[in-house]
Amino acid sequence: MFVDQVSVYVKAGDGGNGLVAYRREKYVPKGGPAGGDGGNGADIVFKVDEGLNTLMDFRYNRHFKGKRGENGMSKTQHGKNAAPLIVPVPPGTTVVDEETEEVIADLTTHGQQAVIVKGGRGGRGNTRFATPRNPAPDMAENGEPGQERNIKVELKLIADVGLVGFPSVGKSTFLSVVSAAKPKIADYHFTTLAPNLGVVDTSDQRSFVMADLPGLIEGAHAGIGLGHQFLRHVERTRVIVHVIDMASTEGRDPYDDYIKINKELTEYDMNLMRRPQIIAANKMDMPGASENLELFKTKIDSEIPVYEISALTKEGVRDILFAIADMLESIPKSAPELEENDEKVIYRYQKEDAPFQISRDDDGAFVLSGDKIEKLFKMTDFARDEAVQRFSRQLRGMGVDEALRKRGAKDGDTIRLLDYEFEFIE
């Protein structure tokens, strides 16, 4: 089964907790704090494996969770960092954040990798909080929570040549003739339910990858028919080959077919029309094909080459393969029209959000929310008084107390943060 789009939940590992410990060795009076830091949580990393050509592995595993870091230990020993979770993906994989619709990474070359979610750092042990005023602190940090997000993983096949055209014009037959690919072929619409890839070798030892894409129909860019599911795979091709049924075996006009397919490509992505095109006038062995071809040539742009072929009898196939290979040699893979698709790993630096927001619940309680304040809360060990006092000082430093007063909070009011409740005290 060909899988080219999946939704996945990823959660990086939390950091390990710091430790509260003291030196208790013989002959070491006033040993002081000796709690180590926790280890960092595991990142989740997507890495390109050129041996894969589908997202099939994601079909059965939609959740990826990294390991948490090891807790800190006594004698100031650092907890072990968790190894990153490496997830192999095929070349041409794009990762998009489902919530913001922003591209996180675009992975195209073998071995390329991107950190999709970052593991939390380990919490600091009590050794880190020692000061001249407080030489033996009784507090440590919990580990930082790892990032989590829902992502959309899309595959855009990386092929040199993309075959486009209406259903039943002979795309699959052409691919089966010029390569070792064995696509399903039958005399009805939408036989091709998934893109097929084949490696084409010309007789002068040149080779390229060709993709046979499911038939497009009018309105495909808007979701009509099957073709719209696979339009994304045309994006990375360097040459587009229009396969046209020149014999009009289904009663359609060849020129009308050509115009409609170009319109669908334009509606999907304007940049596709900047790609070099070749027209494969197929089924030239059928009656009426020659007359239709003459009429077709009078209507189209003379700059676009037209090659007469018959995928069934293999007539003209050698010439069009040479023409495709010549065209590919003149188009470097870093061509300007492909720049937007040859992206490296993308990291978008977003403006930092406000550290906290205040809202009201139906019962009148004040609700604190925000990534920064929630992270501070999760990293605080509320079983220790010193840690609670430090958390209170941090809130005051962020301006939470003042903001609550401005919102009308009074002595004894309920303050809610995540699933916990506090009392506001003046």
Side-chain angles (χ1 to χ4, degrees):
M1 183 181 291
F2 184 84
V3 180
D4 66 348
Q5 188 171 13
V6 288
S7 291
V8 178
Y9 168 77
V10 286
K11 167 76 168 74
D14 298 338
N17 297 335
L19 182 71
V20 174
Y22 301 93
R23 291 182 67 183
R24 293 185 176 86
E25 298 160 64
K26 199 174 181 182
Y27 308 122
V28 184
K30 301 179 181 177
D37 299 344
N40 296 332
D43 298 338
I44 294 184
V45 179
F46 281 15
K47 184 175 182 179
V48 177
D49 180 352
E50 63 185 4
L52 300 175
N53 56 17
T54 173
L55 299 175
M56 190 68 185
D57 293 346
F58 288 92
R59 184 175 174 84
Y60 302 108
N61 187 8
R62 300 292 183 93
H63 288 72
F64 292 89
K65 191 172 183 181
K67 291 184 177 179
R68 68 173 292 129
E70 195 175 54
N71 292 338
M73 294 169 282
S74 57
K75 298 185 180 177
T76 326
Q77 293 179 92
H78 196 291
K80 186 178 179 182
N81 294 334
L85 175 60
I86 307 291
V87 180
V89 294
T93 299
T94 303
V95 184
V96 180
D97 188 305
E98 279 198 339
E99 188 178 336
T100 63
E101 291 295 322
E102 284 195 295
V103 176
I104 301 166
D106 192 359
L107 303 163
T108 55
T109 55
H110 180 64
Q112 190 178 11
Q113 57 186 40
V115 177
I116 306 302
V117 280
K118 195 162 180 55
R121 70 170 175 83
R124 291 173 290 182
N126 67 334
T127 310
R128 296 294 201 98
F129 296 101
T131 63
R133 177 180 286 183
N134 185 8
D138 188 37
M139 58 175 280
E141 277 181 336
N142 290 336
E144 180 184 23
Q147 290 180 334
E148 58 183 308
R149 60 183 12 149
N150 289 301
I151 58 173
K152 185 166 60 180
V153 185
E154 290 184 346
L155 173 62
K156 297 175 184 175
L157 291 177
I158 297 179
D160 299 302
V161 181
L163 300 179
V164 298
F166 271 76
S168 301
V169 295
K171 298 187 299 299
S172 297
T173 305
F174 180 60
L175 183 69
S176 68
V177 165
V178 301
S179 74
K182 296 287 181 282
K184 183 181 177 185
I185 299 167
D187 190 19
Y188 55 87
H189 280 192
F190 299 130
T191 313
T192 304
L193 300 179
N196 292 300
L197 283 177
V199 178
V200 180
D201 283 308
T202 60
S203 54
D204 59 352
Q205 309 305 313
R206 291 182 291 177
S207 66
F208 51 86
V209 179
M210 182 179 284
D212 153 35
L213 304 173
L216 299 177
I217 63 172
E218 199 169 3
H221 72 277
I224 298 173
L226 288 177
H228 77 282
Q229 299 174 32
F230 307 106
L231 271 167
R232 74 173 71 90
H233 298 301
V234 188
E235 288 181 38
R236 296 191 194 274
T237 57
R238 292 192 286 152
V239 172
I240 294 173
V241 176
H242 280 264
V243 183
I244 296 176
D245 175 5
M246 205 51 71
S248 301
T249 53
E250 297 197 357
R252 293 192 311 268
D253 176 48
Y255 179 72
D256 194 40
D257 280 7
Y258 173 70
I259 294 299
K260 284 178 179 175
I261 293 297
N262 268 340
K263 183 172 183 290
E264 292 308 314
L265 295 176
T266 306
E267 294 282 355
Y268 179 73
D269 185 352
M270 280 288 293
N271 291 316
L272 293 178
M273 296 315 295
R274 294 159 57 194
R275 306 285 161 81
Q277 294 186 9
I278 288 179
I279 295 173
N282 194 21
K283 304 188 182 182
M284 291 303 295
D285 56 314
M286 302 283 285
S290 298
E291 293 81 356
N292 287 338
L293 179 62
E294 291 304 317
L295 189 60
F296 180 82
K297 284 183 175 179
T298 63
K299 294 180 179 178
I300 66 158
D301 186 345
S302 59
E303 292 183 4
I304 299 175
V306 180
Y307 288 85
E308 302 176 35
I309 67 166
S310 170
L312 195 63
T313 65
K314 301 185 182 180
E315 182 186 345
V317 167
R318 182 175 179 273
D319 292 340
I320 193 171
L321 291 184
F322 278 5
I324 292 170
D326 291 342
M327 191 171 280
L328 286 171
E329 283 182 353
S330 66
I331 309 168
K333 291 200 175 184
S334 58
E337 60 267 25
L338 292 174
E339 279 180 2
E340 63 271 13
N341 293 319
D342 279 345
E343 295 164 331
K344 300 301 181 187
V345 179
I346 300 166
Y347 294 104
R348 300 195 186 278
Y349 295 94
Q350 295 178 330
K351 187 180 177 183
E352 196 169 328
D353 294 331
F356 64 91
Q357 291 92 36
I358 300 174
S359 57
R360 298 292 294 269
D361 260 355
D362 294 339
D363 60 359
F366 291 87
V367 180
L368 295 173
S369 59
D371 288 342
K372 187 171 182 180
I373 196 169
E374 288 172 10
K375 186 186 293 183
L376 278 177
F377 177 79
K378 290 174 182 176
M379 293 178 72
T380 300
D381 181 3
F382 284 92
R384 298 184 179 275
D385 290 341
E386 278 192 37
V388 175
Q389 291 166 14
R390 178 172 179 264
F391 179 66
S392 180
R393 289 195 301 272
Q394 286 173 318
L395 293 192
R396 199 172 299 120
M398 289 167 64
V400 174
D401 289 13
E402 190 61 35
L404 283 168
R405 287 191 191 94
K406 285 181 180 176
R407 287 295 297 265
K410 295 183 176 59
D411 203 26
D413 282 352
T414 300
I415 311 298
R416 196 168 287 138
L417 176 55
L418 295 177
D419 296 330
Y420 296 87
E421 292 184 351
F422 308 92
E423 198 174 287
F424 186 71
I425 299 172
E426 282 287 2

